Amino acid sequence: MLDISKLLEEIKASPYEELVITAPHTGVVSFGSIKVGDRVIGATGTWGEIPGTPLATLQRERNDKIIRATQKGVVEKIHTELEGTFVEAGTELVRLRHFLSKDEVLGIILKKALYLFEAPERAKYYFAPDIDSKIKSSGSQSVTVHDGMELFIMSRMKREAPLNYSGPDGVIYAVYFQHNENIDSGAPLIGVCPPDQLSLIEDVVVRVQTEWTEQE
Amino acid sequence: MQNTNHKVLVANRGEIAIRIMQACQKLGLGFVCVYTAEDSASGHVRMAKEHGGEKSLYRVSSYQDANELLAVADESGATAIHPGYGFFAEDYRFARRVTQRENKLIFIGPSWRIIRELGDKINTKRLARSLEVPTVPGSDRPVYDELEAEKIARQLFEFQEEQGIRRPMVLVKASAGGGGMGIEEVYDIDLFKSVYRRIRSYSLRQFSDEGVLIEQRIKDFNHLEVQIVSDRTGKNPVHFGTRNCSIQSTGLQKRLEIAPGFDPSSINYTFDAQKVLDDITEYSLAMARKVGYDNVGTWEWIVTRDGRPFLMEVNTRIQVENGVSAMISRVNGKAGVDLIAEQIRVGLGEPLGYSQENITFDGVGIEYRLIAENPEMKFTPWVGRIEDFGWDKHDWLQMHSHVPTDVAYDIPTEFDPNLALAIIWGKDLSEVKVHGKEFLNELRLTGQNQGGESLKSNVNFLRTKTDEILKF
Amino acid sequence: MDTEKRTQHLTERLTYIKDIFGDKQQENIRLLETKLEEFIQRENGLSVEDKFAALSTLEDLFGFVERNLENELTAMDKVRIVRHSQRICLRDILENVYDNYTEIGGKDENSIDPSMLIARAYITRRSGKRVYHQPVMVIGQEKGHGEEFRNGGSVKPWGNAKALHYMRVAETENIPVHTFVFTPGSFPVEDAPGAAQQIAKNLYEMAALSVPVVAVFSEGGSGGAEAIGLADSRLMLSHGYYSVISPEGAAAIEGRVRGGDRAGAELVEKCAHQLKITADDNVRMGYIDHKIQEPALGARPYHYEFFRSLRQEVIRATDEVVLNVKGFSPFRAMALRRRKGKSIEDLDLENIHVRWSLSRKARARLIAKRHAKFNKLSKSAFIDRRPIHRRVAAWFVEKGWDTYSYFKYDLWRSHQKKLMYAVEEVDAEARVLMDKVKGPWKKITKAIPANTSKADKEKELTMLSQWDEEDQGKGQWSYISPRAKEDRAITCPNAETHGCQDLWAPDLFGEYAGVCNSCGHHFPMEYQWYMHNIFDPGSIFEFNTEVESANPLGFEGFDLKLEQAKNKTGLKSSCTTFEARINNVKVVVATLIAPFRGGTVGAAEGEKFVQAAERAKKKRFPFISYVHGTAGIRIQEGVNGVIQMPRCTMAVRRYIDAGGLYLVLYDTNSYAGPLASFLGCSPYQFAIRSSNIGFAGPGVIKETTGMDIPPDYHRAQKALSRGHIQGIWDRRDARHNLSQALMTMGGRNLYYR
């Protein structure tokens, strides 16, 4: 049985996470007006339609791309020495101190509560086409999985192979991978909630919602 | 090279990136390399670090993002881009962008219009037809409609039955694909629909295009290639002989290439093999002349057991197996031909400087593609760490690899699983077979993965297949 | 009335004055306040008689001040009057104007939409000794006196649908419809049937509703008003307003106010004045037939006199409409005529009887008259630079076409059709007979294997079509966007969710036709792209180019803006009309072009649209509306713009009733009035992928309803799921799809049924 209280206490002991914002691609960087100590926020609004705080601008092929905060936090470091220079992909630009949000805490605890189906190999993963369209239209929790079901396409070295789910029956409660992103072998792909555990999971959600206070 | 005032952006990775850098060095040109985070241990990165000058190595987010490559080209002061093979090599839009943007660069490859015309398999077929060059039966353009696709497949089955083919088969392939990816065979019209859909969604994911080609699958055939080289005038193409690429994996991937395409001097064929070789080189040159082909390219042919050639497609790029043709070629009687250097040279605008009479051939060459894979398990790639990799040097052997031989190397999963190309020469077929086996026996290639499983490679497969080369 | 009630009443009148004038008229307000207070102080010490006397004096004073203030009312004051909770509402009218009524559209909260009220009512009249109960269908927005569930008279789509339903009931029952417009505007939600689409349906149906319709405007807020306002006789209360947009809304646009902020009171006042929204303005411009005088400072529920005159007015309006289309009734018509110096009370309307039900022929005349009435409107609100001789010539040509098409299509075709049907029938019969006879023979011939040449088949499969020049032109469009000349990369808006790479502008706006090659997102393209890539090359023939947008209200600063738009686009209005061909099918096209003032529709655009529809009708061509983008009705033209909603819808109705095929294709962003009328009424509406279609933008929805809407609320695929449009097209396939639509919806004979 999962000790939610204990888990929550553990997280409360170190509620911060350091976020490193790197250049998503090459380009000439400029930082605009942010300063160390500034509070920044990620995308907000019911549908995440209000963009997060701009941190830097990356210009490549005459196209300005604004790099925004994806999470709430405080600016810890800005690499101002890079201002106006051409940076390589993956160069560290800004460092944020981020206080864990309810959703993230929930994510951490759920990862312990759910049955995790792991990537068998380092590869890119996609949902099988029919599953994918179902998830896109009505969300992952609309999909019930069962042992032996053809659920994924594993794409590796340009080769694709179907991947069957194995584990308990249940609904897909969480999806941990994104398309076009390599997943290491052993990393979780999905979190499955068996029907008999649904009440436990709901309890976790309620507990986190009530007991975790987000800090500004 | 007369004008060495160029810097070439190497828009590729691995073995070909190294080959391009070596060619640049040979020609006295500057170069700049790119790599992605997953590839930082690759030999090409090491070579760029060791031999490149200032501004010669950049980390990018992807090899497949044109914006990254061009941003790096501008930043590093590159004047030309070499696409290698794969990635942007046959992307006419990339070639067009490179040559039409404000800061114009040279695309080392055919001009974009030629890539567009010949990159379209159907267009190629039509061009071939206009010159009375035979082509494979099949759909006459990319098919987007399921009903139409099924109709063509049905026709092809009927056609083969009428021809008396015992087990008719239809090939379904992604129109935008190439190099054996996104191809499946169908033996039964009832299964066609599901295969068609699978290929279509594969094509959509990989190439953002739903177009599918449906062709007759000619079963019993040999896969031959003609290597063409031409300078920017497009007027005097020459060929560097033929290659036979019939030994492939189950996924229709080439594993072993031999130059020349057939060897009538030591093997008896049921048809006039020399005539076939002469025909396909002549057809290929005719087409190259017709379109004004202006760089290196490969004409791919299918030759049936009764000795009928069909044109499959034209690859408007340097190919992996270019080295095996170079190995048996002599220009003005001299060995040491480097087709990549020739490509760069003509790409940058130098005239070819010789004609077909100056090109002669000597002996037989084999290229082995060394790959970590399991031939017993449908050639599934093996992923893990290479711990020991090495070979003995011979004057009949050329090795091309990005895998370091002095430190362990983790195979990245993003790319083609080629580890190395070994090119073997022999004065005739029997000698090259002996050399080939000698090389494979001496090769050291071991490793392990996280699961403790030891490295799987295709060395045994290559060894067995060496006995069969050039036999139909 | 006891003193207490009278005092109370006076207090209410004072509050009302304060509410209407706000900070203005402080002196008068203070005077009334002091006098009323004085009286209340003294009240207890006074005898009953003195109290009455004092109250009467006070009441006289109130009346006097109110009459004085009446003369100083501004347009904005009238807006406040109309919005006041003491303003008469439809229930008051039902109680006081009609002799009896039954509510049929629900009761209070228990209604599908409490802001739309429907009642069957009757008016009792005498003729000689006989008593007649004349039934009518009363339809109108109910604001109530501040009850929240009435939603301020802002009707939801299903409320308008209910109104339409009962108009058709009235049509079945052959009784007149009285509509009362008490709405600040429609509730802008897209939930099915959709605000815009439903209003469009209402307009389309009302355009040919075959019973008399009399509309009374109190608060005529734009689209919401039009949903029930298309009438044979349009009356307006003297203190009402009829406008394209609320003055606050106009001020927000004029003052470029964004997100949550509000425009200053002064600007609002100025906009209210400039928009020419009062009854007098609208009567002068011809959009209202007659003004009904209200008591000073506007009618409130206790103004019983007013209800009497309102009753007379609606009776007379109905009588007039009916008599105008009835065969023979000179005396009664004369009796009803308005004369100088004669007020409506002088007419003995109660004792004249006019039967309100109409014969079949009269119904047809009624509709024809209604169309003629609206067609004449707003003719002077645009510039027509065609020289007079050309206009005359155009008139003759039109008449010529009329005659031609009568002979070609109506007379000849109807006979031809009958003949054709007869031939078809005989042919079908003969076929069945022949099949029976030939049956056995066929079986025999089938048994012999067909001798199709093997070589032919091989040739078909191996020798493909020729490699020719034509194939080298692929990926080429006839028009290339100027943006394709910029050497720069563009980020797809879906990059984050779909992983699209940056696109090179020359690829994107050239070969890709503005479509992201990874996710299929459609970037907006210039209207020229469609003109040149959809229609057959060189087939476009533009007409009515001389019709120009103007500034009919003399809206401040608008002349300059209009000039700028004309210079920037080289166009004279946002509407371009032309004839063209698609795969050799001739069509008439009306476009709304976004770069010209946001593709807004004013009098010029409306006129061009109407004329295009007429042309399509006369020439028997399919009619296509290509909406490159429209932000709605042009607010600076006020009602001159709004009136295009019914006008253009009626033109569409005439066209479709004549047998035409009307297709609408939306692109980029299409919103508001045009959508809620002549576009939304098409049975065949399609959208280019990634376009937005809706009634009101997210900002307006947030402001009027307080709801946050998801970012994809107006996306084409949502509109498709709601049933508002019939399909979504890829831009690159637009030509093909349009051609296919013409073939499948028009058939071989293309358009005329």
Side-chain angles (χ1 to χ4, degrees):
Chain A
M1 201 56 199
L2 201 63
D3 189 347
I4 302 166
S5 310
K6 195 170 152 238
L7 275 170
L8 268 173
E9 284 312 312
E10 273 173 29
I11 298 169
K12 274 179 191 167
S14 68
Y16 293 105
E17 195 182 64
E18 195 159 75
L19 287 179
V20 176
I21 312 289
T22 58
H25 54 66
T26 61
V28 175
V29 71
S30 63
F31 288 101
S33 59
I34 56 153
K35 299 181 300 295
V36 171
D38 279 0
R39 286 183 181 284
V40 297
I41 50 166
T44 50
T46 322
W47 299 273
E49 77 277 18
I50 304 162
T53 317
L55 300 176
T57 308
L58 201 55
Q59 195 195 53
R60 183 186 66 175
E61 288 292 278
R62 301 195 183 136
N63 185 25
D64 284 333
K65 208 169 287 177
I66 298 172
I67 297 161
R68 296 174 182 279
T70 50
Q71 300 283 0
K72 190 155 59 177
V74 177
V75 178
E76 238 180 24
K77 180 168 177 56
I78 305 167
H79 289 269
T80 43
E81 74 279 5
L82 297 173
E83 174 76 34
T85 64
F86 183 89
V87 296
E88 294 178 86
T91 310
E92 179 175 326
L93 302 176
V94 177
R95 202 175 274 257
L96 302 178
R97 197 163 82 136
H98 164 65
F99 188 81
L100 293 174
S101 72
K102 271 181 188 168
D103 284 348
E104 286 163 334
V105 173
L106 191 59
I108 293 170
I109 297 179
L110 279 181
K111 262 196 182 173
K112 308 215 164 153
L114 297 170
Y115 170 77
L116 301 179
F117 181 70
E118 292 166 353
E121 296 179 49
R122 182 175 159 83
K124 290 176 184 173
Y125 292 85
Y126 308 90
F127 281 113
D130 49 329
I131 308 281
D132 192 48
S133 57
K134 196 167 175 188
I135 289 176
K136 271 187 183 139
S137 65
S138 21
S140 71
Q141 293 188 27
S142 66
V143 179
T144 309
V145 295
H146 52 84
D147 199 71
M149 174 181 185
E150 190 176 320
L151 190 58
F152 300 102
I153 295 170
M154 180 168 74
S155 166
R156 199 188 55 172
M157 295 182 172
K158 290 191 188 167
R159 281 169 178 74
E160 296 194 340
L163 176 63
N164 292 356
Y165 170 76
S166 63
D169 294 3
V171 296
I172 301 179
Y173 210 90
V175 176
Y176 298 117
F177 68 95
Q178 280 175 336
H179 67 101
N180 261 336
E181 201 180 74
N182 273 300
I183 307 298
D184 279 320
S185 140
L189 291 173
I190 52 168
V192 173
C193 178
D196 56 325
Q197 302 236 346
L198 211 56
S199 61
L200 171 75
I201 298 296
E202 273 158 13
D203 183 44
V204 171
V205 175
V206 173
R207 288 281 300 275
V208 173
Q209 289 293 346
T210 49
E211 289 181 26
W212 185 264
T213 40
E214 285 189 24
Q215 290 190 4
E216 277 313 309
Chain B
M1 189 84 211
Q2 284 160 354
N3 180 6
T4 54
N5 207 7
H6 277 290
K7 185 170 185 178
V8 178
L9 173 83
V10 184
N12 215 303
R13 62 178 295 277
E15 176 265 338
I16 186 67
I18 293 173
R19 296 278 300 274
I20 296 166
M21 284 186 272
Q22 286 168 344
C24 286
Q25 281 183 319
K26 208 184 294 180
L27 296 167
L29 305 172
F31 59 81
V32 48
C33 248
V34 293
Y35 70 105
T36 63
E38 294 88 356
D39 235 359
S40 45
S42 170
H44 82 278
V45 178
R46 200 156 135 185
M47 171 156 183
K49 276 182 190 155
E50 285 166 11
H51 300 279
E54 213 179 307
K55 296 194 168 187
S56 64
L57 184 63
Y58 291 85
R59 187 172 59 221
V60 295
S61 59
S62 161
Y63 294 111
Q64 294 179 76
D65 188 339
N67 303 290
E68 288 287 79
L69 301 174
L70 293 168
V72 167
D74 287 351
E75 172 67 18
S76 65
T79 55
I81 295 189
H82 195 305
Y85 45 71
F87 298 144
F88 285 108
E90 289 172 281
D91 185 335
Y92 74 86
R93 293 188 188 96
F94 180 76
R96 182 171 66 187
R97 180 171 175 185
V98 166
T99 47
Q100 291 188 349
R101 63 205 294 269
E102 237 167 78
N103 179 21
K104 292 181 175 42
L105 305 169
I106 297 167
F107 180 79
I108 300 181
S111 46
W112 68 267
R113 278 201 178 78
I114 289 174
I115 302 177
R116 189 175 70 181
E117 295 318 328
L118 297 179
D120 181 341
K121 288 172 198 167
I122 290 312
N123 209 27
T124 308
K125 274 190 169 182
R126 290 184 176 168
L127 170 65
R129 166 70 194 119
S130 76
L131 298 170
E132 310 220 324
V133 173
T135 59
V136 181
S139 62
D140 105 309
R141 66 199 150 73
V143 180
Y144 291 87
D145 181 71
E146 192 169 308
L147 286 177
E148 194 186 340
E150 216 178 333
K151 194 185 134 204
I152 295 170
R154 210 172 279 280
Q155 270 184 350
L156 284 169
F157 274 113
E158 281 169 17
F159 175 63
Q160 293 177 61
E161 270 159 30
E162 282 166 23
Q163 283 197 323
I165 292 171
R166 219 160 17 92
R167 221 178 147 210
M169 189 204 309
V170 163
L171 211 59
V172 184
K173 52 182 173 182
S175 160
M181 299 289 181
I183 297 187
E184 271 190 67
E185 300 164 344
V186 186
Y187 290 94
D188 185 347
I189 185 71
D190 296 332
L191 293 176
F192 173 77
K193 205 177 254 180
S194 63
V195 173
Y196 167 78
R197 285 186 182 161
R198 190 157 55 237
I199 294 293
R200 187 179 59 183
S201 57
Y202 170 85
S203 180
L204 188 66
R205 270 195 304 278
Q206 297 286 348
F207 315 111
S208 310
D209 181 72
E210 289 195 345
V212 167
L213 294 179
I214 297 134
E215 274 181 358
Q216 177 184 347
R217 173 76 164 109
I218 298 172
K219 248 308 239 195
D220 197 14
F221 69 92
N222 264 7
H223 180 130
L224 268 71
E225 294 179 345
V226 178
Q227 177 68 57
I228 299 288
V229 179
S230 176
D231 61 24
R232 286 289 187 212
T233 63
K235 285 191 181 124
N236 32 27
V238 297
H239 73 85
F240 273 84
T242 54
R243 292 188 287 264
N244 192 321
C245 312
S246 305
I247 300 174
Q248 303 188 344
S249 69
T250 35
L252 302 177
Q253 291 292 300
K254 297 171 190 166
R255 287 294 176 267
L256 216 85
E257 292 101 342
I258 304 101
F262 291 124
D263 186 19
S265 64
S266 67
I267 298 177
N268 277 329
Y269 295 95
T270 54
F271 51 88
D272 184 347
Q274 192 54 51
K275 183 179 181 303
V276 171
L277 295 181
D278 293 346
D279 279 353
I280 61 174
T281 42
E282 217 23 74
Y283 283 144
S284 304
L285 282 170
M287 282 177 74
R289 274 191 289 268
K290 167 88 177 180
V291 293
Y293 200 85
D294 61 351
N295 202 257
V296 301
T298 303
W299 266 247
E300 297 207 359
W301 296 85
I302 279 176
V303 178
T304 58
R305 185 165 286 282
D306 54 357
R308 282 208 298 175
F310 291 114
L311 178 73
M312 256 202 335
E313 61 184 44
V314 178
N315 292 327
T316 54
R317 56 156 200 254
I318 190 79
Q319 278 188 297
V320 176
E321 55 270 33
N322 73 83
V324 73
S325 292
M327 195 67 146
I328 62 159
S329 300
R330 306 286 178 263
V331 173
N332 295 324
K334 275 195 291 239
V337 174
D338 182 345
L339 286 176
I340 294 171
E342 292 302 280
Q343 180 189 19
I344 295 172
R345 206 167 57 77
V346 297
L348 292 175
E350 270 204 15
L352 194 57
Y354 46 85
S355 59
Q356 195 66 57
E357 301 92 70
N358 305 90
I359 302 169
T360 51
F361 302 98
D362 182 21
V364 179
I366 303 178
E367 176 184 87
Y368 293 123
R369 299 194 187 195
L370 294 174
I371 295 171
E373 63 185 0
N374 187 354
E376 273 111 62
M377 291 273 292
K378 288 184 172 175
F379 295 84
T380 31
W382 180 90
V383 181
R385 168 174 291 206
I386 296 173
E387 277 148 5
D388 184 24
F389 183 40
W391 58 89
D392 293 350
K393 287 195 163 52
H394 296 284
D395 53 4
W396 43 262
L397 170 67
Q398 265 182 31
M399 273 298 268
H400 300 289
S401 177
H402 60 286
V403 178
T405 48
D406 48 354
V407 290
Y409 176 72
D410 287 311
I411 303 173
T413 58
E414 335 294 306
F415 315 102
D416 276 336
N418 277 358
L419 296 179
L421 301 176
I423 301 166
I424 319 285
W425 183 84
K427 67 178 191 305
D428 54 28
L429 189 59
S430 55
E431 188 185 279
V432 81
K433 283 183 185 175
V434 173
H435 287 167
K437 286 195 181 161
E438 192 180 336
F439 162 75
L440 291 172
N441 291 338
E442 287 167 359
L443 182 73
R444 300 191 315 278
L445 177 56
T446 53
Q448 234 186 91
N449 68 7
Q450 283 167 337
E453 185 197 34
S454 61
L455 184 142
K456 297 255 185 306
S457 82
N458 61 348
V459 169
N460 273 332
F461 172 82
L462 297 174
R463 193 179 292 127
T464 351
K465 289 290 175 187
T466 304
D467 290 329
E468 300 170 16
I469 58 171
L470 292 190
K471 284 186 190 149
F472 202 119
Chain C
M1 222 198 284
D2 59 23
T3 50
E4 219 168 288
K5 271 199 176 156
R6 284 168 75 181
T7 327
Q8 175 63 28
H9 183 64
L10 285 175
T11 321
E12 273 170 21
R13 276 165 83 174
L14 180 63
T15 325
Y16 181 77
I17 294 171
K18 283 189 196 163
D19 288 346
I20 301 306
F21 290 101
D23 299 340
K24 299 182 293 180
Q25 302 294 350
Q26 285 302 322
E27 244 166 77
N28 282 317
I29 290 169
R30 216 167 302 129
L31 170 76
L32 294 179
E33 220 166 18
T34 349
K35 291 286 175 193
L36 185 60
E37 220 143 90
E38 265 173 33
F39 168 74
I40 292 167
Q41 298 279 315
R42 292 189 303 143
E43 194 184 12
N44 289 341
L46 292 177
S47 70
V48 177
E49 287 78 20
D50 288 347
K51 264 191 200 172
F52 268 66
L55 266 175
S56 296
T57 324
L58 204 51
E59 278 165 357
D60 286 347
L61 176 69
F62 263 78
F64 176 75
V65 173
E66 280 174 353
R67 277 191 298 281
N68 279 346
L69 286 176
E70 168 75 13
N71 297 326
E72 306 200 13
L73 281 176
T74 65
M76 195 57 209
D77 294 335
K78 290 195 174 168
V79 173
R80 278 189 286 268
I81 287 176
V82 164
R83 288 181 185 163
H84 202 277
S85 62
Q86 286 188 41
R87 172 93 178 151
I88 52 158
C89 69
L90 185 51
R91 286 285 280 280
D92 300 326
I93 291 171
L94 278 172
E95 289 284 351
N96 296 296
V97 168
Y98 296 92
D99 291 295
N100 207 344
Y101 73 94
T102 303
E103 261 192 61
I104 49 181
K107 181 96 177 134
D108 297 339
E109 300 97 316
N110 301 316
S111 165
I112 187 164
D113 185 356
S115 52
M116 178 57 80
L117 196 147
I118 319 256
R120 273 294 304 268
Y122 64 76
I123 284 173
T124 309
R125 293 161 95 181
R126 282 177 192 78
S127 179
K129 280 187 182 154
R130 299 191 57 174
V131 175
Y132 296 97
H133 294 308
Q134 294 195 289
V136 291
M137 186 68 78
V138 179
I139 296 173
Q141 292 96 358
E142 176 58 284
K143 287 172 83 89
H145 293 292
E147 298 91 339
E148 200 156 295
F149 63 86
R150 295 291 187 191
N151 203 15
S154 187
V155 181
K156 299 188 170 114
W158 38 95
N160 282 326
K162 180 174 72 172
L164 177 61
H165 174 61
Y166 281 101
M167 287 181 208
R168 312 201 65 163
V169 171
E171 191 174 35
T172 313
E173 294 175 344
N174 199 358
I175 61 171
V177 178
H178 288 174
T179 67
F180 290 88
V181 181
F182 281 92
T183 184
S186 258
F187 198 70
V189 290
E190 295 296 332
D191 304 49
Q197 301 281 327
Q198 186 57 47
I199 295 172
K201 271 193 198 94
N202 282 26
L203 281 167
Y204 183 78
E205 294 298 333
M206 289 175 87
L209 195 71
S210 63
V211 288
V213 183
V214 172
V216 179
F217 286 69
S218 164
E219 179 173 21
S222 188
E226 297 309 319
I228 57 167
L230 197 165
D232 300 296
S233 182
R234 312 211 314 166
L235 311 175
M236 185 161 169
L237 306 186
S238 61
H239 288 61
Y241 78 86
Y242 176 26
S243 172
V244 61
I245 190 172
S246 71
E248 290 89 345
I253 293 170
E254 277 295 295
R256 299 193 175 282
V257 178
R258 292 236 156 234
D261 296 339
R262 288 183 187 280
E266 219 166 289
L267 187 61
V268 174
E269 185 88 44
K270 190 167 149 193
C271 282
H273 172 71
Q274 293 219 66
L275 284 170
K276 304 278 188 287
I277 59 178
T278 65
D280 288 324
D281 292 327
N282 279 297
V283 169
R284 198 181 59 249
M285 293 189 288
Y287 301 130
I288 290 295
D289 298 306
H290 183 62
K291 176 180 88 170
I292 301 169
Q293 189 58 51
E294 295 179 48
L297 300 190
R300 276 150 280 168
Y302 54 86
H303 288 124
Y304 300 107
E305 276 301 311
F306 167 72
F307 288 119
R308 245 192 313 281
S309 69
L310 179 58
R311 175 185 165 96
Q312 303 296 315
E313 290 285 2
V314 294
I315 292 174
R316 174 158 78 180
T318 318
D319 283 351
E320 272 176 342
V321 170
V322 169
L323 289 176
N324 269 330
V325 295
K326 273 208 165 161
F328 182 74
S329 49
F331 297 114
R332 283 178 296 182
M334 216 185 320
L336 285 168
R337 207 155 292 153
R338 290 174 203 279
R339 290 218 188 85
K340 259 204 178 141
K342 210 173 166 194
S343 86
I344 190 152
E345 281 75 21
D346 299 336
L347 291 171
D348 196 7
L349 283 170
E350 303 284 342
N351 291 321
I352 300 174
H353 174 59
V354 178
R355 232 185 128 72
W356 284 350
S357 59
L358 295 178
S359 70
R360 214 160 54 95
K361 278 192 175 159
R363 285 174 163 217
R365 275 198 294 276
L366 175 78
I367 293 166
K369 266 197 167 292
R370 192 182 297 156
H371 279 260
K373 172 192 169 80
F374 276 86
N375 210 15
K376 272 190 299 210
L377 296 176
S378 79
K379 286 280 191 191
S380 55
F382 57 86
I383 307 165
D384 190 350
R385 291 199 201 278
R386 282 182 297 174
I388 192 78
H389 66 89
R390 290 248 324 267
R391 276 190 241 188
V392 173
W395 186 84
F396 275 110
V397 169
E398 252 178 45
K399 288 291 152 198
W401 267 107
D402 272 347
T403 327
Y404 171 75
S405 55
Y406 172 73
F407 279 111
K408 177 160 178 202
Y409 300 107
D410 296 349
L411 196 68
W412 162 237
R413 191 164 290 273
S414 68
H415 287 286
Q416 192 195 27
K417 235 180 209 167
K418 273 181 203 150
L419 194 69
M420 242 164 54
Y421 289 158
V423 172
E424 265 173 32
E425 291 288 307
V426 172
D427 184 57
E429 286 291 317
R431 236 166 243 287
V432 176
L433 190 70
M434 280 308 282
D435 279 353
K436 288 222 162 134
V437 177
K438 283 192 332 204
W441 172 247
K442 259 195 189 155
K443 266 184 203 152
I444 298 164
T445 46
K446 252 195 180 162
I448 306 163
N451 193 16
T452 43
S453 134
K454 239 180 174 180
D456 278 357
K457 197 154 201 178
E458 175 161 4
K459 202 168 177 191
E460 195 186 317
L461 287 164
T462 51
M463 301 301 172
L464 299 147
S465 27
Q466 285 288 321
W467 187 73
D468 49 33
E469 291 304 307
E470 197 187 310
D471 291 304
Q472 300 189 324
K474 63 190 160 321
Q476 305 277 314
W477 301 99
S478 310
Y479 169 88
I480 300 287
S481 161
R483 286 174 292 170
K485 296 192 177 78
E486 285 176 70
D487 173 26
R488 58 170 302 212
I490 308 271
T491 304
C492 173
N494 293 335
E496 242 163 74
T497 48
H498 292 65
C500 316
Q501 285 183 357
D502 286 3
L503 298 142
W504 192 43
D507 283 339
L508 175 61
F509 296 115
E511 187 186 335
Y512 295 161
V515 179
C516 171
N517 67 340
S518 151
C519 71
H521 172 80
H522 281 45
F523 289 77
M525 289 296 270
E526 295 79 6
Y527 72 93
Q528 290 95 333
W529 193 93
Y530 294 87
M531 302 259 284
H532 292 95
N533 289 315
I534 287 186
F535 304 104
D536 294 354
S539 72
I540 292 178
F541 162 70
E542 211 182 321
F543 56 87
N544 283 339
T545 46
E546 298 92 341
V547 176
E548 264 187 59
S549 287
N551 183 7
L553 299 183
F555 204 93
E556 198 183 295
F558 189 62
D559 285 311
L560 180 68
K561 285 182 187 166
L562 209 51
E563 206 48 49
Q564 285 168 345
K566 287 178 186 175
N567 289 337
K568 186 183 90 181
T569 58
L571 300 168
K572 299 269 191 284
S573 75
S574 77
C575 181
T576 302
T577 54
F578 54 89
E579 281 180 24
R581 291 191 307 271
I582 301 175
N583 281 337
N584 273 325
V585 173
K586 288 180 183 163
V587 292
V588 171
V589 184
T591 62
L592 290 178
I593 292 165
F596 190 97
R597 303 278 330 137
T600 50
V601 171
E605 288 79 8
E607 180 64 19
K608 288 184 84 170
F609 183 89
V610 169
Q611 290 202 15
E614 288 297 324
R615 195 183 187 98
K617 186 174 119 199
K618 290 213 173 85
K619 294 200 164 181
R620 297 297 207 260
F621 289 173
F623 182 37
I624 295 169
S625 263
Y626 165 64
V627 189
H628 178 246
T630 179
I633 299 296
R634 187 169 302 145
I635 60 155
Q636 292 88 346
E637 290 195 24
V639 182
N640 294 299
V642 178
I643 208 70
Q644 305 311 324
M645 291 174 66
R647 273 192 88 220
C648 296
T649 311
M650 290 168 100
V652 168
R653 179 79 201 224
R654 287 195 293 277
Y655 171 73
I656 294 180
D657 282 351
L661 170 64
Y662 176 49
L663 285 171
V664 174
L665 180 58
Y666 299 107
D667 194 6
T668 65
N669 302 301
S670 306
Y671 285 105
L675 205 75
S677 54
F678 58 93
L679 302 174
C681 71
S682 166
Y684 306 114
Q685 302 172 57
F686 297 92
I688 297 291
R689 207 166 148 187
S690 306
S691 58
N692 290 303
I693 299 145
F695 186 59
V700 177
I701 296 182
K702 174 82 187 163
E703 183 141 326
T704 51
T705 69
M707 294 191 307
D708 273 320
I709 55 156
D712 63 350
Y713 190 63
H714 292 117
R715 287 267 172 206
Q717 68 266 29
K718 294 275 171 186
L720 185 63
S721 332
R722 293 180 189 115
H724 296 174
I725 57 172
Q726 281 62 54
I728 299 174
W729 292 349
D730 190 295
R731 176 182 291 136
R732 296 161 297 186
D733 300 335
R735 175 180 158 90
H736 170 79
N737 286 341
L738 207 49
S739 172
Q740 153 131 345
L742 288 173
M743 295 317 290
T744 51
M745 284 156 218
R748 197 157 50 100
N749 298 328
L750 270 177
Y751 124 104
Y752 15 104
R753 291 192 286 266

